[in-house]
Amino acid sequence: MATQAATSISIQHDGEPKANAIRERLDAVVGKGQRTYTPSQVTVKSAKGSYLWTVDDRKLVDFTSGVLVANLGHDHPRFEELCREYADGLPRNAYNMVAEIEVIAAERLLKSMAATNPKAEKLFWAASGSEGIQKAMWAAQHKAPERQILLATRYGFHGKKGLAGDVTGAESLNPNVRFVSFPMKEEKPQSFYQDELDAFAEEFDGQIALLITEPYLGAAGSFHPPKWYHQMLQAWCEQHGVVLIFDEVQACHGRTGNMYAYESYEVQPDLVVLGKGIANGEPAAAVIGRADLIDAMGYGEASDTFSGNPRACAAICAVLDVFEEEGVIDKARAAARDIGERLCALPDAFPFVKTVRGEGLVYGIEIENAELANRCVLEAYYGTGDAGVHLLGPLAGTVLRVSPPLLISESEIAEAFAIIEQAWARI
Ligand SMILES: Cc1ncc(COP(=O)(O)O)c(C=O)c1O
């Protein structure tokens, strides 16, 4: 039986003596604001490939990849080997120094976009997605300081800090932020969105610095728009001299079935922000785009302690190597077809599954209500006893995120769905 820690009471599960003890100690020393509520509160001992092992020796299929981070899976041998090789002998921090690995990582990331986005000319590093978003927005603001207005697509999630927090959601304390509609459940014609944009262009003629959007709404519950939507945003931005920022913090590096989500939506943003899977778990992010925007910031204006450190850059190179050596995109597409078919069968099998939305290897399963959604996470975790499936706590209250490592195998997928089917039959 799980209990959500309202005060100091730890989440506890029957038959998990080691995990329960650790959870109690955690509550004594780490504020609960540090975690996003997940009823299972998996207490992990080790991780390998698509699997996690708990401290009480249960085996879980990881349907989260951390939080869309471990795209290559956990403890990937070649990735780990390459990280060691690239970082061998380098200091962990090279603030106000130059290590060649930084240059190599930048050149390789730019090259990874060269064929699909000619605007990928230069970059900034960041140590987290929200810092990357902040730097991308700063660049646009520095380029055109007379433009005060910041447009964002509504219900996006760009992070909790600074400007990233200001453009997240549907309301902002920043008086310069305005939101435009993003297609979700409602079926509105293209003209509805176009009219809204045009009204902003008229009201704030020459005052709009940037438009920031997620390729698909992630945290808001997995809403994946038609291609025309992003193409319309891009055309409108070009027409009005507005910088288009694509937040690919969670969508980059193969999640949507292409290396970059802007390829899936057939657009070429001015700035693309990458995070999470870019370094398979090493904290790293990057803002990539037009050189005139990146160069709008002078010495020190985008610097900080951890961005672009040698180990992050080594991990970025190692990820790109493994993508090439192991054909990760092709494997991800095959896994995506398999998972997509199995997920789409869930609404027929379970009455509490309302609908399934997604693309590539990022899906949302919408459950009837929040209570049942949490129960689904828990039952998947309890699984068949020794084995379970690890899911994130529900997004937007009722949506279960499915985002396994891109290299998950056919047999691992089959195993996970067999566990889920048995577990959810108890609901
Ligand atoms: C689309 C998107 N943008 C930005 C962020 C913020 O990234 P970070 O948590 O690394 O600051 C997230 C994190 O979940 C995200 O999903």
Side-chain angles (χ1 to χ4, degrees):
M1 179 67 191
T3 42
Q4 180 173 2
T7 52
S8 62
I9 305 159
S10 180
I11 290 174
Q12 301 271 281
H13 297 290
D14 291 342
E16 299 192 349
K18 289 184 183 163
N20 286 343
I22 292 171
R23 291 175 184 127
E24 267 192 53
R25 284 168 51 210
L26 174 84
D27 279 353
V29 292
V30 180
K32 73 175 185 226
Q34 182 67 57
R35 320 209 105 62
T36 303
Y37 174 67
T38 304
S40 49
Q41 199 171 76
V42 171
T43 305
V44 69
K45 180 173 73 180
S46 61
K48 182 92 195 155
S50 304
Y51 292 105
L52 307 170
W53 282 266
T54 72
V55 289
D56 293 291
D57 290 324
R58 297 188 60 239
K59 185 180 178 187
L60 308 172
V61 182
D62 182 6
F63 256 20
T64 72
S65 311
V67 55
L68 301 100
V69 171
N71 284 0
L72 303 177
H74 303 283
D75 195 28
H76 185 288
R78 181 72 179 135
F79 168 73
E80 298 296 338
E81 180 188 27
L82 286 162
C83 283
R84 280 192 296 276
E85 276 176 23
Y86 280 121
D88 189 33
L90 290 173
R92 281 185 183 269
N93 193 286
Y95 187 81
N96 271 10
M97 294 177 232
V98 180
E100 191 186 0
I101 190 67
E102 178 187 348
V103 184
I104 297 171
E107 288 168 347
R108 299 227 13 221
L109 271 182
L110 293 173
K111 193 166 159 235
S112 74
M113 288 190 178
T116 51
N117 187 359
K119 295 171 190 159
E121 295 171 321
K122 224 162 174 177
L123 63 73
F124 281 135
W125 302 115
S128 69
S130 44
E131 288 174 24
I133 297 294
Q134 171 105 17
K135 290 183 186 183
M137 295 179 69
W138 277 341
Q141 288 176 316
H142 276 68
K143 173 75 182 166
E146 72 287 1
R147 291 175 174 249
Q148 301 289 321
I149 300 295
L150 313 171
L151 275 189
T153 51
R154 195 173 289 115
Y155 299 119
F157 180 77
H158 304 289
K160 293 171 191 150
K161 289 160 262 174
L163 285 174
D166 287 354
V167 290
T168 283
E171 286 170 19
S172 180
L173 293 175
N174 182 330
N176 290 324
V177 171
R178 298 289 184 281
F179 292 99
V180 298
S181 299
F182 191 102
M184 293 172 76
K185 282 187 181 160
E186 73 290 342
E187 288 194 11
K188 296 210 165 92
Q190 184 170 345
S191 58
F192 169 84
Y193 302 95
Q194 184 71 56
D195 290 349
E196 205 178 33
L197 286 170
D198 291 343
F200 275 120
E202 203 177 308
E203 184 180 353
F204 300 109
D205 186 23
Q207 295 172 62
I208 303 171
L210 60 90
L211 194 167
I212 182 164
T213 186
E214 278 183 276
Y216 56 84
L217 296 184
S222 230
F223 291 96
H224 303 252
K227 281 182 191 168
W228 59 252
Y229 178 73
H230 285 307
Q231 292 167 1
M232 178 195 68
L233 294 184
Q234 173 168 277
W236 182 86
C237 283
E238 277 168 8
Q239 190 187 348
H240 297 283
V242 172
V243 174
L244 177 62
I245 303 175
F246 232 51
D247 175 353
E248 293 212 20
V249 168
Q250 72 160 250
C252 70
H253 281 57
R255 262 300 141 198
T256 64
N258 284 304
M259 186 64 177
Y260 297 110
Y262 68 74
E263 295 174 54
S264 304
Y265 290 95
E266 294 172 25
V267 289
Q268 298 177 335
D270 298 302
L271 293 172
V272 183
V273 185
L274 314 177
K276 295 190 188 277
I278 184 179
N280 206 47
E282 196 70 36
V287 184
I288 303 189
R290 278 169 37 198
D292 65 316
L293 295 169
I294 300 290
D295 287 338
M297 295 179 74
Y299 269 119
E301 287 179 325
S303 76
D304 46 50
T305 305
F306 293 118
S307 293
N309 73 72
R311 274 165 210 256
C313 292
I316 286 167
C317 293
V319 164
L320 292 172
D321 283 344
V322 175
F323 265 72
E324 279 167 28
E325 289 174 13
E326 298 190 11
V328 172
I329 295 288
D330 287 341
K331 288 183 180 157
R333 285 180 183 161
R337 278 191 293 277
D338 188 2
I339 285 201
E341 273 172 31
R342 288 172 185 273
L343 286 171
C344 289
L346 289 178
D348 288 335
F350 300 103
F352 51 83
V353 177
K354 290 290 133 208
T355 183
V356 169
R357 296 183 288 268
E359 62 187 302
L361 279 176
V362 55
Y363 271 84
I365 308 172
E366 186 166 326
I367 304 295
E368 196 174 309
N369 59 47
E371 195 183 329
L372 280 172
N374 277 303
R375 178 95 194 275
C376 287
V377 174
L378 264 185
E379 291 297 349
Y381 172 63
Y382 295 145
T384 57
D386 288 344
V389 173
H390 175 46
L391 293 168
L392 295 171
L395 304 170
T398 57
V399 180
L400 307 179
R401 160 67 76 236
V402 173
S403 54
L406 305 183
L407 293 176
I408 191 167
S409 71
E410 216 179 309
S411 61
E412 289 164 347
I413 294 170
E415 182 185 344
F417 276 89
I419 293 169
I420 286 176
E421 274 154 30
Q422 197 175 324
W424 287 5
R426 295 192 292 265
I427 297 176

